[in-house]
Amino acid sequence: MTVGILALQGAFAEHGAMLDRLGAEHFEIRQRKDLDHPFDALILPGGESTVMAKLLHESGMFEIIREKIRSGMPVYGTCAGLILLAKEVEDNPACLGTMDIRVKRNAYGRQLGSFYTEQEFKGIGTIPMSFIRAPYIEKIYENTEILAQADGKIVAARQENQLVTAFHPEVNDDTRVHQYFLNMIR
Ligand code: GLN
């Protein structure tokens, strides 16, 4: 099993380190030809969603990746990656739009943009959650399951092959969310 990690920008290296700890093979996707490498699942990291969306379009990878997700490839989006997957985003219309969620970007305001908490994640238990200029999910539609909430806001969800978290498990020392994603692939 091989996981492709989108490495155009942002926090992709940390996801690779997590997968190393779990013994999962992975490689970085930087340009269109990297998509020729066979892979079974995809990680869209945190970073800046507007920049990533632009680079996805410019590199010619946008349609290919969207098609892979639509045809069922397991995908995990953290933070900006979550924004990229959302069908409805106020101020970034260039997203992949494969997941039936409405997202608010930079949703906690300047002061509270980055914070740490520990909350329940369905099927896993209480996990550390680091938020960095994070979005939250304002609304989910049918077929989408809420997996975690923090402060009354939805911060993790799943729709079939698509998993998203508004927080960054890759920056904490807890591999359980990545393990959850690997279980989705098997
Ligand atoms: N604020 C960023 C965006 O809107 C997301 C931040 C992150 O990925 N840590 O894309």
Side-chain angles (χ1 to χ4, degrees):
M1 180 182 65
T2 304
V3 180
I5 303 174
L6 187 70
L8 294 173
Q9 187 264 339
F12 50 86
E14 293 83 347
H15 283 285
M18 276 290 183
L19 295 180
D20 282 338
R21 287 176 59 190
L22 293 169
E25 265 180 54
H26 58 89
F27 70 103
E28 291 177 358
I29 299 171
R30 295 174 180 276
Q31 46 188 315
R32 193 184 162 135
K33 73 170 165 52
D34 297 332
L35 295 172
D36 296 338
H37 189 301
F39 59 109
D40 309 294
L42 176 67
I43 289 180
L44 305 177
E48 187 53 45
S49 58
T50 48
V51 177
M52 262 192 265
K54 185 169 172 278
L55 294 173
L56 274 177
H57 282 284
E58 286 175 5
S59 62
M61 296 199 285
F62 185 90
E63 288 298 337
I64 303 169
I65 285 180
R66 185 162 65 175
E67 206 35 55
K68 283 184 187 294
I69 297 168
R70 279 191 178 153
S71 33
M73 176 175 276
V75 60
Y76 173 28
T78 52
C79 204
L82 173 159
I83 296 167
L84 282 176
L85 290 170
K87 194 155 279 175
E88 295 176 13
V89 190
E90 256 168 26
D91 47 358
N92 189 358
C95 290
L96 294 161
T98 49
M99 189 164 176
D100 294 325
I101 52 176
R102 184 166 79 214
V103 168
K104 192 169 171 58
R105 287 182 64 206
N106 300 317
Y108 297 91
R110 274 187 175 207
Q111 300 300 319
L112 292 171
S114 302
F115 61 98
Y116 175 84
T117 182
E118 292 178 5
Q119 302 291 336
E120 186 72 15
F121 189 106
K122 193 174 176 189
I124 294 183
T126 303
I127 58 160
M129 297 182 179
S130 291
F131 293 84
I132 305 165
R133 292 181 301 107
Y136 63 71
I137 300 170
E138 277 183 310
K139 186 176 160 91
I140 61 162
Y141 295 91
E142 32 187 303
N143 304 329
T144 304
E145 183 186 12
I146 297 173
L147 295 177
Q149 301 195 47
D151 212 6
K153 308 281 196 278
I154 304 167
V155 295
R158 174 171 177 183
Q159 179 180 3
E160 292 153 2
N161 57 316
Q162 304 182 72
L163 173 69
V164 290
T165 63
F167 54 93
H168 290 263
E170 75 281 7
V171 304
N172 293 115
D173 192 38
D174 189 313
T175 54
R176 286 178 291 171
V177 175
H178 286 77
Q179 185 60 62
Y180 179 100
F181 179 55
L182 294 180
N183 294 345
M184 281 171 57
I185 308 169
R186 284 174 186 128

